[in-house]
Each structure stands twice: as structure tokens, then as C-alpha cells.
Amino acid sequence: MLWALRSPCNLGCRYCYFGTLLEHREQPVVQIGQLSHLSRADLGFADLAAFADTLAQSPVRRVFLAGGEPLIWPPVFDLIERIKRAGVEVVVCTNGVPLNRPETVLRLLKLDIDAVSVSLDSAEPGHNDRWRPSHNGKDGWDRMIAGITALLAARGRRTAPAVGIYSVITAQNLDAVTEVAHLAADLGCDYFVPQPLSLEPGHALDTELSLTAAHYDVLAAQFTRLYETSQLRLPDRDYPGRVLEAVSATEPGFVAQCFAGRYLFFVEPDGSVWPCPSSLKIGSLSSVASGTSHQGPMRSGAQMDRSHQAQHPDQPSVVVHSEARTEPPVILLAPSPERQHGVDAPPVW
């Protein structure tokens, strides 16, 4: 489960899936399920903690805590403790800057988290900081690298937490597939995941950054080189094919073998739940479950779609809640009494 805990962030990534502060100051977000760093609909700690306490009896095996930036929200450590107490793995997804605070690193180690994934989009500081600028004008590539180094040093000879880098791959940084992997290995990281950029149609940066069929050959060559040369843990060998299929599609649609909506769910700060944060939606939300409504996201005791569970016993139970028939449905994750254990965790964090 990918859980975007809070909306605020210390960076202003220009292609962030939350949007930008500037655009949402001009046009405030009001629709349920629409992300914004200015969101005032983030659930409070009590609601988040209540949901975390249900995870022990759910099919969820691993939670990716993201944001915004989760490590600038002090209660995150109490929430991690609850999730770990439920027997669920925790992966913290961060931009790396907060890892420069020794007390943050020590808390993460003390909580015995399973992995830390740092977002870094280039081995070149200038490129990374152009697209991932900080709000204070000071925190950039150097601080991200320093944060990774500090965490690895504090971890010492221990194998946990695993530490890795995620890179957003765009038309402007295709070489990051291999170059950031080399950097990650030099730093002493354990894994690397290159992820294709996903922008909504009509996004201001769509033409400049989005991957298309025109990038297929170069991207394929980069993936081939990555898997032939890297000693880091990487996504399974089917992953490059799924990425290439997605970016070469003439329009967003179904991507074969994608696990979104089956083994992955995305929880937003307002409590709404979706198959994934990408604009490349995997199938139709209405095909996942239908008919049942429940007032209030992420409440224990939600009614479950029994017919869906009977047909798909390997998947978490889901219910659908829609504020209005004209809006997309919101999928709510609920514990499953029929299946107490989820699928095996993927090999890369």
C-alpha cells in the first residue's frame, strides 16, 4: 500500500503528482481525491492511527509512507511504530533532505524500518535541482546525497534498513536509468528503481518531459544496459517491458501485468484510495468493485464487496464510495476476514 500521509513538502518538484503551490494558489483544489500541497483536507493523526491499527488483520504486507514529505511531519514516527507493531513492513519514501538531521536517522533506525527510498532524478546536480527545486533555495542535490550518506553511515554493518534510490525518468534524463544506478552503487545503496514520468493530459510540461514511442529505442537500450551491468537489486525483469508498453501507448489504457489495483493501492492524505497515483490508470475503477457505499474514508468496519472477494480471494477486500455519480469512485481498503495474509512482497523496495 502506497500511503501519501501529508500534503506539505519542503521541495517544489515541477512535475510532482501533487501539482505545484503556484497553480493551486491560483486555482484552489476542492474536489475529493485531487492532490494538492495546499490541501486542508488531510486526515488528522487520530484517524490515521485508527486505520494503522487495523492493518494487523488486513492483507497488507508492506506500506510505503510517502507524501508530500513524510519526514517533516513529527507524528510520522508514532505512526511507523503502530504499523510495525501490526507486523507490516514499512518503507519510507523521502527526498532525502530530512536525513541530514541525526535525530531523524536515529529514530528511523530505532523503529527498525525495513527500507528508505530516496527520490533523486540525476547524477548531475544541476539537472536534479532544476526539476526538484527547494522552497528555501538551499536544499538540493548535495543535501540529498549527504542525507543518503548519513543514513548509510549510521546503519553501519547492518542490513536494515535497505537504502535505495527512485528516479523519475523523463524525456530530459533518459541516461538516468544507468547513471543514477551507478551513483547509487558508488554510494553503497542496495537497490534502484527507475520510474517513467506520468503527467495528466494537458499538463504544462507534457510536451517537454513526457515519454512517448519516440523514446522507445533509447529507453530500451538504457534498460538493457542497466540489467546487464548493475549489481544493485532492481525490479523484476518483466518491469522494463511494462514500462516500454506504457510509454509507447497512443493513449493511457490497460497495461498488462501491472499490479496496481490488485496488489497495490494508493491512499491519499484525505483518506481516499485509488489503484495508483499515475495518470496511466490501470483499467477502470468501476471494474474493481461496485455498488457498496460507506460514509467516511478509512473507517474500521466498512462493508465489503463480498462478490469481488469471492471471485478474487488473493486481493484485499474493497468497497466503492462516490460522493456523486458524476465523480470517479473512491476505493476504500478494508480488512479481509477470508484472507489474513497478502501476496509475497516484491524483491525490490
Side-chain angles (χ1 to χ4, degrees):
M1 181 176 74
L2 174 59
W3 193 355
L5 285 177
R6 315 301 293 169
S7 297
C9 187
N10 52 329
L11 298 188
C13 303
R14 295 172 62 190
Y15 40 66
C16 182
Y17 67 124
F18 269 74
T20 66
L21 289 175
L22 178 60
E23 65 181 300
H24 290 153
R25 284 189 181 121
E26 295 175 349
Q27 294 182 321
V29 168
V30 295
Q31 180 177 318
I32 291 176
Q34 185 175 352
L35 295 166
S36 170
H37 289 304
L38 294 176
S39 175
R40 299 295 183 265
D42 291 11
L43 295 182
F45 177 77
D47 285 327
L48 301 180
F51 178 65
D53 290 342
T54 72
L55 293 176
Q57 299 302 317
S58 80
V60 176
R61 295 280 297 280
R62 177 179 293 171
V63 172
F64 297 80
L65 294 178
E69 171 53 55
L71 294 181
I72 63 174
W73 186 54
V76 70
F77 301 107
D78 294 330
L79 195 65
I80 290 173
E81 185 175 6
R82 287 174 179 269
I83 298 171
K84 290 292 294 182
R85 193 163 60 232
V88 177
E89 294 178 345
V90 174
V91 181
V92 174
C93 305
T94 173
N95 58 46
V97 174
L99 298 176
N100 287 279
R101 297 196 298 263
E103 62 273 19
T104 295
V105 170
L106 291 177
R107 286 291 299 274
L108 293 175
L109 294 176
K110 185 177 180 180
L111 288 167
D112 196 28
I113 63 168
D114 299 276
V116 175
S117 295
V118 178
S119 297
L120 189 78
D121 291 350
S122 179
E124 296 294 329
H127 178 93
N128 187 83
D129 294 350
R130 176 189 175 195
W131 297 104
R132 290 185 176 273
S134 63
H135 294 307
N136 64 14
K138 300 176 182 178
D139 295 330
W141 189 92
D142 290 339
R143 294 275 288 168
M144 297 171 190
I145 296 298
I148 296 172
T149 302
L151 176 59
L152 288 168
R155 184 185 73 172
R157 295 180 178 273
R158 289 172 288 186
T159 57
V163 179
I165 293 177
Y166 272 64
S167 289
V168 175
I169 306 302
T170 76
Q172 300 292 326
N173 71 335
L174 293 171
D175 62 345
V177 173
T178 52
E179 295 305 314
V180 178
H182 292 326
L183 174 61
D186 290 343
L187 290 171
C189 293
D190 305 296
Y191 61 93
F192 172 64
V193 180
Q195 291 187 309
L197 176 69
S198 173
L199 295 176
E200 296 289 346
H203 191 286
L205 297 173
D206 187 27
T207 301
E208 184 176 2
L209 296 182
S210 291
L211 296 167
T212 68
H215 304 104
Y216 187 101
D217 291 342
V218 174
L219 190 58
Q222 286 286 320
F223 272 121
T224 297
R225 190 171 155 214
L226 172 67
Y227 279 76
E228 287 179 347
T229 62
S230 181
Q231 300 301 309
L232 297 170
R233 295 210 301 268
L234 303 170
D236 65 75
R237 288 190 170 272
D238 292 333
Y239 177 73
R242 297 198 297 272
V243 171
L244 292 168
E245 180 182 354
V247 303
S248 61
T250 55
E251 60 183 73
F254 180 81
V255 179
Q257 302 181 54
C258 183
F259 49 78
R262 294 185 294 135
Y263 306 129
L264 171 72
F265 290 88
F266 173 55
V267 183
E268 296 190 1
D270 65 1
S272 59
V273 186
W274 307 85
C276 92
S278 174
S279 65
L280 295 173
K281 299 302 182 187
I282 311 303
S284 116
L285 293 178
S286 60
S287 68
V288 180
S290 62
T292 306
S293 66
H294 170 67
Q295 296 300 319
M298 293 170 54
R299 303 290 186 184
S300 59
Q303 297 178 7
M304 291 175 284
D305 184 343
R306 301 296 184 180
S307 63
H308 174 80
Q309 185 66 20
Q311 297 173 26
H312 306 281
D314 60 331
Q315 299 178 22
S317 295
V318 293
V319 293
V320 168
H321 168 57
S322 179
E323 290 293 325
R325 290 294 181 184
T326 58
E327 299 296 337
V330 177
I331 301 177
L332 308 177
L333 192 62
S336 168
E338 293 87 5
R339 183 175 175 83
Q340 300 299 326
H341 302 286
V343 299
D344 290 338
V348 174
W349 301 98

